[in-house]
């Protein structure tokens, strides 16, 4: 996980990926929704493209804008991002004006992100342990 | 999630919480397993205690050492930490010498961390959307 944190460990990085995953695709949109300094956003987007988490491509509307799309590697960060979001809402508080994350098919809020055993039991932090390979 | 990243967004912070959750409780152990500079570890532990994620208490063995224990708030980071670890193993590679995370009860590797709908369907990144409150 040390390498994971080298790639996504900057506090802006996961926020940018979250916003791209959730539909903000353009520099100006990201700048506005995140309130991030322009030069910080530029450098984080460059790193995210170099890491293969986002792709930059010309906007579909024929304008000169670039759009940032998540790659498969970027989309695979969704469980981690939603688990961090859930923790923040549980322990740092949330407001009624926060957007909800819903199942696109039926519009219902997603289930809580939990750790499960192979047989489906929910595992708490005290129910898992780390085993060194033999 | 902006506030979440303020609390846990430093690249060392989640690594320290991971190691404490997985059983490393003392300064010297954390310093050794993480290869983190002493002054960085000191300041991150201080922040984690102030944020209510870890508690410092005298070691159970009567020595002068402090032990860091995760609080409920700290233990609740487990799904996010395991989801980030899973992503790193999937996309940044892993080695046979990496420890495995297992169910303490039966010793089997835990299930993959996934996003689920309320009816149990696994949701990919394209199956969820963000809805602004009305």
């Amino acid at each position: 996980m040390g390498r994971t944190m080298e790639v996504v460990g900057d506090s802006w990085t996961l926020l940018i990926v979250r916003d791209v995953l959730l539909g903000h695709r353009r520099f100006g949109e990201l700048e506005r929704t995140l309130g991030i300094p322009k030069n910080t956003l530029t450098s984080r987007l460059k790193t995210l493209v170099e890491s293969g988490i986002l792709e930059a491509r010309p906007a579909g509307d024929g304008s000169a804008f670039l759009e940032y799309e998540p790659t498969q590697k970027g989309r695979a960060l969704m469980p981690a991002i939603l688990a961090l979001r859930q923790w923040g809402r549980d322990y740092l508080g949330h407001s009624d004006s926060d957007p909800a994350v819903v199942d696109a098919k039926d519009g219902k809020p997603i289930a809580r992100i939990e750790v499960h055993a192979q047989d489906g039991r929910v595992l708490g932090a005290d129910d898992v342990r780390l085993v060194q390979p033999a």
Side-chain angles (χ1 to χ4, degrees), chain A:
Chain A
M1 203 168 111
R3 280 165 306 155
T4 302
M5 297 316 294
E6 277 169 33
V7 177
V8 299
D10 174 84
S11 32
W12 285 114
T13 304
L14 282 175
L15 294 175
I16 295 169
V17 177
R18 176 199 63 178
D19 273 25
V20 173
L21 282 174
L22 295 171
H24 297 296
R25 297 289 154 94
R26 293 191 183 181
F27 190 95
E29 273 182 295
L30 292 165
E31 187 191 3
R32 199 165 51 243
T33 58
L34 291 168
I36 183 176
K38 233 183 251 290
N39 58 343
T40 309
L41 180 56
T42 301
S43 83
R44 293 310 179 281
L45 283 170
K46 184 163 178 286
T47 304
L48 284 165
V49 169
E50 285 168 0
S51 310
I53 292 172
L54 301 181
E55 268 173 351
R57 39 173 90 156
D61 63 3
S63 70
F65 291 109
L66 282 180
E67 283 182 354
Y68 293 90
E69 298 274 344
T71 61
Q72 173 53 36
K73 182 176 175 180
R75 286 197 299 273
L77 277 167
M78 189 65 107
I81 284 170
L82 293 180
L84 281 168
R85 181 177 199 269
Q86 170 176 292
W87 180 84
R89 291 172 61 86
D90 288 347
Y91 289 94
L92 307 177
H94 59 276
S95 100
D96 288 344
S97 63
D98 291 344
V101 179
V102 305
D103 179 355
K105 200 166 149 192
D106 61 16
K108 289 187 188 161
I110 59 168
R112 285 183 63 81
I113 313 275
E114 319 232 53
V115 180
H116 292 269
Q118 293 202 6
D119 63 13
R121 274 173 297 124
V122 173
L123 300 174
D126 299 331
D127 302 322
V128 302
R129 59 193 175 83
L130 205 64
V131 177
Q132 300 295 335

